[in-house]
Amino acid sequence: MILETALRLFMERGYDKTTMRAIAKEAGVSVGNAYYYFGSKEHLIQGFYDRVTQEHLALARREIRGIRDFGDRLQVALIAWIDTAQPYHGFAVQFFRNAADPDSPLSPFSAESYPVREQVVALFAEVLRGSTLKLDDELRELLPELLWLHLMGIVLFWVYDRTPDNTRCREFVTRTTPIVDRVITLSRYKVFRPLVRDAERLIRDYIAPEGMAASGSPAASPNERR
């Protein structure tokens, strides 16, 4: 109830102009009760992120069932995100304006967003695992993180897409997915192995939260990395 009320007020008044007091009043609860469940407006948005993620995961897993081609599975999973997020498009730009702040807990790269991010990374691991694509173990472990980054690019495109039903964003997915598929297919050859290792270090050093390895375990110390 509190989250639904907050999302409605964010849409009507804007994120910055909506206070926790106003949310509590509209939801028919005390301010203290609202803060008990959500410590701040940022926590409400984290709740929104979590809801969209759970809906996306459920839809994507249902839609990819029985599909074996990697490119097709990937495209279905990405389009499922657009379908899930579509009802919130009108006010999503307000959230992403705040999420663009690198110090904001709303940032998709923040430690607060890490649990939700890992669930989407796990989905991409399933997309790979259920396909006929042949990969070595090193690349298979790395790719879900890279596919999540690809999704972040799509999310940014989606935020600024004003076409009906986000037609251009959908076209962007259908045109870029075959390219991603071809690049991944080529990357399994040994000549590309140094690039794979460079990408792994990039994710570990810049994408995973500080103090965490890309896999979600504590990052190794500089001496341990050598």
Side-chain angles (χ1 to χ4, degrees):
M1 181 65 177
I2 297 174
L3 180 58
E4 286 78 5
T5 300
L7 294 177
R8 176 173 59 81
L9 292 179
F10 292 157
M11 184 182 297
E12 294 173 356
R13 307 178 184 180
Y15 176 79
D16 293 333
K17 294 182 179 179
T18 301
T19 65
M20 287 292 287
R21 182 173 297 277
I23 293 169
K25 181 179 179 180
E26 288 285 329
V29 300
S30 67
V31 176
N33 201 20
Y35 274 111
Y36 176 80
Y37 290 103
F38 299 95
S40 66
K41 286 199 299 181
E42 286 79 7
H43 286 89
L44 280 164
I45 303 306
Q46 288 294 344
F48 164 72
Y49 285 167
D50 185 65
R51 169 180 293 184
V52 170
T53 297
Q54 298 311 313
E55 293 176 359
H56 171 222
L57 296 179
L59 178 60
R61 285 169 175 151
R62 185 167 62 248
E63 294 292 325
I64 65 175
R65 192 175 300 141
I67 301 175
R68 297 283 286 159
D69 179 78
F70 167 71
D72 291 343
R73 287 172 67 85
L74 177 60
Q75 181 170 312
V76 167
L78 295 173
I79 292 295
W81 186 90
I82 298 175
D83 289 338
T84 302
Q86 184 66 37
Y88 310 106
H89 186 267
F91 61 96
V93 66
Q94 301 173 45
F95 299 155
F96 284 95
R97 184 176 64 247
N98 289 275
D101 181 351
D103 295 324
S104 171
L106 301 183
S107 168
F109 300 100
S110 70
E112 290 85 352
S113 297
Y114 191 68
V116 169
R117 183 163 80 247
E118 282 297 275
Q119 293 182 67
V120 181
V121 170
L123 170 65
F124 287 126
E126 293 176 32
V127 169
L128 284 163
R129 190 165 53 248
S131 75
T132 55
L133 186 66
K134 304 299 182 183
L135 294 170
D136 60 66
D137 292 340
E138 183 179 24
L139 186 56
R140 186 176 295 277
E141 183 179 353
L142 171 66
L143 272 177
E145 295 275 0
L146 294 178
L147 292 174
W148 176 80
L149 285 175
H150 178 55
L151 174 61
M152 290 301 97
I154 291 168
V155 170
L156 182 62
F157 192 99
W158 175 83
V159 168
Y160 293 100
D161 180 16
R162 293 295 181 265
T163 57
D165 196 36
N166 293 127
T167 301
R168 281 183 59 81
C169 189
R170 295 174 188 275
E171 292 174 350
F172 181 77
V173 170
T174 59
R175 292 181 63 177
T176 58
T177 302
I179 298 173
V180 173
D181 188 10
R182 287 196 294 270
V183 169
I184 290 174
T185 300
L186 289 173
S187 66
R188 66 184 179 181
Y189 295 105
K190 289 185 178 181
V191 68
F192 293 101
R193 197 60 53 79
L195 294 178
V196 172
R197 294 196 178 98
D198 285 345
E200 191 277 334
R201 285 192 291 269
L202 181 69
I203 289 174
R204 182 185 63 202
D205 294 340
Y206 294 100
I207 304 306
E210 185 176 355
M212 298 291 290
S215 63
S217 58
S221 68
N223 290 332
E224 292 173 327
R225 292 178 187 174
R226 295 194 182 102

